[in-house]
């Protein structure tokens, strides 16, 4: 059974702090990894993709991938209350289906 | 440009009724995926099309579920004889590329919330 594991949270951070979200995966064949943000009652919105080991930065977001440890993370700098949502980690074999974690709920308080 | 669209956004069905859920992918996107999301869970894969070919239907929970994409664009997910356990949000996603090298991002539509009473 291919799995993606996330801590369900909630992760509570003060406004302006760094939020760190983590994810592990079991399928060593997975090559593509994604972070989606999902607000309550809405559909998942893609915020980051990462395919190679190391860091990838986009604005306030940094994704990190370590294939040897089967570990993916997302850092959100200068967290804002509008970042409060559930963050879904997903992995797949490139053009194939995505396997999602259950999501980590992030709460950013003023 | 326009994103993935789905209709209806909400559907209430009596147990035993048939339902049809529609997905219109981003123009030019070759790959189309259907996922099912239960409350508090991540999306779970149902089926996958590349153009009109259904390449993977391993996630369909029973033979009551059927999906098609006859012209390689719009797709319909049909659920026959709906049961209460079918109640969930049904998400459609589309992806541009089919070749090695990526990108492989999948973009989701707003979903259809199905409630079976």
């Amino acid at each position: 059974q291919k799995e993606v594991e996330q801590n369900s949270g909630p992760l509570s951070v003060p406004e302006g702090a760094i939020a760190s979200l983590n994810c592990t995966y079991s399928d060593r064949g997975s090559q593509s990894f994604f972070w989606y943000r999902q607000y309550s009652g809405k559909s998942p919105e893609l915020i980051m993709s990462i395919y190679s080991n190391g860091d990838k930065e986009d604005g306030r977001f940094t994704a990190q991938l370590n294939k040897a440890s089967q570990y993916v993370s997302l850092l959100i700098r200068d967290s804002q209350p509008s970042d409060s949502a559930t963050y879904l980690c997903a992995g797949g074999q490139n053009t194939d289906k995505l396997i999602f974690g259950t999501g980590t709920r992030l709460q950013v308080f003023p | 440009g326009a994103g993935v669209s789905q209709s209806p956004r909400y559907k209430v069905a009596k147990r035993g009724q048939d339902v049809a859920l529609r997905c219109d992918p981003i123009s030019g996107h070759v790959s189309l995926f259907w996922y099912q999301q239960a409350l508090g869970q991540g999306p779970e894969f149902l089926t996958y099309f590349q153009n009109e070919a259904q390449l993977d239907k391993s996630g369909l929970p029973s033979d009551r579920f059927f999906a098609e994409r006859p012209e390689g664009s719009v797709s319909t997910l049909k659920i026959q004889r709906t049961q209460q356990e079918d109640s969930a949000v049904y998400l459609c996603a589309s992806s541009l590329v089919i070749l090695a090298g990526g990108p492989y991002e999948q973009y989701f539509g707003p979903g259809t919330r199905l409630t079976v009473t």
Side-chain angles (χ1 to χ4, degrees), chain B:
Chain B
V4 179
S5 60
Q6 292 186 247
S7 63
R9 294 292 309 278
Y10 304 91
K11 177 69 179 177
V12 178
K14 289 191 184 342
R15 190 164 61 91
Q17 279 185 332
D18 298 349
V19 299
L21 312 180
R22 176 189 166 107
C23 172
D24 204 334
I26 294 171
S27 178
H29 276 199
V30 171
S31 298
L32 186 147
F33 300 81
W34 284 98
Y35 294 87
Q36 180 190 61
Q37 187 173 25
L39 195 63
Q41 301 296 314
E44 291 197 359
F45 170 78
L46 294 176
T47 188
Y48 157 48
F49 291 86
Q50 202 172 88
N51 294 305
E52 68 278 3
Q54 189 174 20
L55 298 188
D56 187 348
K57 54 182 181 178
S58 62
L60 296 176
S62 78
D63 58 7
R64 297 186 295 105
F65 287 70
F66 171 76
E68 60 183 6
R69 194 185 185 199
E71 296 178 358
S73 179
V74 170
S75 177
T76 303
L77 176 67
K78 297 180 179 177
I79 309 174
Q80 297 177 323
R81 305 181 303 281
T82 52
Q83 303 295 314
Q84 283 194 315
E85 61 262 29
D86 300 335
S87 296
V89 175
Y90 290 86
L91 295 164
C92 175
S94 71
S95 181
L96 175 63
V97 77
I98 57 169
L99 300 175
Y104 306 108
E105 285 86 353
Q106 294 183 23
Y107 298 92
F108 282 86
T112 295
R113 182 177 297 277
L114 173 64
T115 303
V116 181
T117 61

Side-chain angles (χ1 to χ4, degrees), chain A:
Chain A
Q1 179 79 2
K2 300 174 183 176
E3 292 183 339
V4 173
E5 301 283 346
Q6 294 183 257
N7 188 318
S8 61
L11 172 67
S12 293
V13 300
E15 185 173 356
I18 295 174
S20 177
L21 304 162
N22 305 310
C23 166
T24 58
Y25 62 94
S26 63
D27 180 16
R28 285 199 171 273
S30 294
Q31 297 166 6
S32 307
F33 300 90
F34 305 91
W35 284 98
Y36 288 84
R37 177 174 62 198
Q38 187 170 30
Y39 293 112
S40 182
K42 301 294 186 184
S43 63
E45 174 192 7
L46 180 67
I47 52 172
M48 288 291 287
S49 60
I50 187 164
Y51 305 122
S52 304
N53 279 329
D55 295 359
K56 179 182 177 183
E57 186 175 319
D58 184 0
R60 295 187 297 114
F61 299 100
T62 298
Q64 300 172 316
L65 173 60
N66 183 326
K67 291 186 179 180
S69 301
Q70 295 176 249
Y71 178 88
V72 192
S73 66
L74 179 71
L75 300 177
I76 306 174
R77 288 180 298 282
D78 187 25
S79 295
Q80 301 297 309
S82 58
D83 294 326
S84 298
T86 295
Y87 289 78
L88 297 163
C89 174
Q93 296 186 14
N94 294 344
T95 59
D96 205 353
K97 60 182 177 283
L98 295 179
I99 307 298
F100 283 84
T102 55
T104 298
R105 189 156 63 95
L106 172 67
Q107 294 177 335
V108 181
F109 56 91

